[in-house]
């Protein structure tokens, strides 16, 4: 059942201005009967000013009269057509003033790493408007040159579970439409718990990348041996140089003497 606004102040007014019993007031304002009795004794709501439910369109005088005459009568909140749908209305997520300057960075991160998210989903995650998202998506934002993408979870703008749920929902919608996801998009759909539980993939150092397929076969070794034998030179032949004319003259002079 709908409750009146300013319930405690309304209870104070009903205790002070009517003869309705504590049980009836407690049921109407959503309080415990002992709390209403404490208001009458002055132990509860000390200093609270009464809130007139008749003047504020919450009760009719006929309803109060009926409750005073019949102790079993339950007070009914007055129908207010202007208040219909107020409980269902949901505005954008509230963002503290200290974090509002970080929203463009988080929007750019979501647009860059999760392009499958709609503008409505991005707006709910970080609490922004569609024109701002569209401006960042099209890179027409006035400060786009100075914006760096930052994870909204790291900035405290949303929870990791909320981000995962939004990504999963977008992926399901994309799959229902018959679109095929790329490998990168599938990797993004892994939840935080799964990614933390995965073993690290072994990676080859960049310095030796490409050498993992290098092998030495017997045939190649044999060919190398043949090439080495054909090009092999004897050490003596390498150091034996042709005789020059000066050496011949010295040899003849030595023989004559």
């Amino acid at each position: 059942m709908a409750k009146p606004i300013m319930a405690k102040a309304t209870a104070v007014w009903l205790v002070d201005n009517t003869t309705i019993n504590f049980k009836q007031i407690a049921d109407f304002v959503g309080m415990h009967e002992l709390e209403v009795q404490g208001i009458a004794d002055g132990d509860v709501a000390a200093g609270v000013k009464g809130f007139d439910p008749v003047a504020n369109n919450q009760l009719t005088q006929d309803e109060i009269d009926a409750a005073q005459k019949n102790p079993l009568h339950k007070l009914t909140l007055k129908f207010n057509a202007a208040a219909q749908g107020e409980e269902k209305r949901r505005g954008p997520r509230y963002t503290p003033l200290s974090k509002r300057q970080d929203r463009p960075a988080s929007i750019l991160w979501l647009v860059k790493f999760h392009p499958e998210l709609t503008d409505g989903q991005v707006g709910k995650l970080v609490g922004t408007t569609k024109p701002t998202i569209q401006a960042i998506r099209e890179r027409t934002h006035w400060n786009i040159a100075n914006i760096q993408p930052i994870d909204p979870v790291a900035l405290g703008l949303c929870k990791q579970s909320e981000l995962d749920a939004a990504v999963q929902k977008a992926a399901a919608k994309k799959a229902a439409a018959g679109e095929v996801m790329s490998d990168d998009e599938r990797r993004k759909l892994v939840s935080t718990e799964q990614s933390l539980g995965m073993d690290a993939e072994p990676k080859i150092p960049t310095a030796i990348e490409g050498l993992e397929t290098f092998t030495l076969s017997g045939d190649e070794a044999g060919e190398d041996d043949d090439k080495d034998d054909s090009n092999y030179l004897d050490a003596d032949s390498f150091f034996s140089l042709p005789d020059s004319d000066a050496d011949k003259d010295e040899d003849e002079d030595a023989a004559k003497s």
Side-chain angles (χ1 to χ4, degrees), residues 1 3 22-31 36 74-75:
M1 186 176 69
K3 302 298 180 183
F22 299 152
K23 181 69 168 63
Q24 290 172 297
I25 297 175
D27 292 340
F28 177 66
V29 300
M31 298 173 62
V36 180
K74 290 186 177 181
L75 292 169

Side-chain angles (χ1 to χ4, degrees), residues 107-126:
I107 295 172
L108 182 59
W109 189 92
L110 292 172
V111 169
K112 180 178 181 180
F113 294 102
H114 291 288
E116 70 277 6
L117 294 176
T118 63
D119 291 352
Q121 289 177 309
V122 174
K124 289 180 179 179
L125 286 173
V126 299

Side-chain angles (χ1 to χ4, degrees), residues 96-112:
L97 293 174
S98 60
K99 295 183 179 180
R100 290 183 185 180
Q101 60 184 0
D102 297 330
R103 282 189 296 194
S106 62
I107 295 172
L108 182 59
W109 189 92
L110 292 172
V111 169
K112 180 178 181 180

Side-chain angles (χ1 to χ4, degrees), residues 42-82:
D43 299 330
V44 179
V48 175
K49 185 179 180 180
F51 186 76
D52 188 351
V54 178
N56 290 281
N57 204 27
Q58 296 188 97
L59 275 178
T60 62
Q61 188 61 46
D62 294 339
E63 188 74 12
I64 293 177
D65 294 341
Q68 290 180 140
K69 293 176 181 178
N70 183 10
L72 299 179
H73 180 79
K74 290 186 177 181
L75 292 169
T76 304
L77 190 67
K78 183 180 178 180
F79 175 76
N80 186 3

Side-chain angles (χ1 to χ4, degrees), residues 154-214:
L155 292 173
L157 295 175
C158 67
K159 299 179 181 178
Q160 184 65 51
S161 58
E162 294 173 341
L163 177 59
D164 291 341
V167 172
Q168 293 287 347
K169 185 177 180 179
K173 186 176 181 180
K174 190 173 183 179
E179 299 181 17
V180 180
M181 292 185 295
S182 63
D183 293 338
D184 292 337
E185 291 176 339
R186 289 193 181 93
R187 282 193 288 268
K188 292 176 184 176
L189 298 180
V190 179
S191 63
T192 307
E193 293 77 7
Q194 292 175 337
S195 62
L196 292 176
M198 290 181 177
D199 296 332
E201 297 182 359
K203 295 183 178 180
I204 300 174
T206 308
I208 60 173
E209 188 175 2
L211 298 180
E212 64 274 9
T213 58
F214 179 77

Side-chain angles (χ1 to χ4, degrees), residues 13-24:
W13 189 92
L14 291 173
V15 169
D16 294 340
N17 297 278
T18 67
T19 59
I20 302 174
N21 62 45
F22 299 152
K23 181 69 168 63
Q24 290 172 297

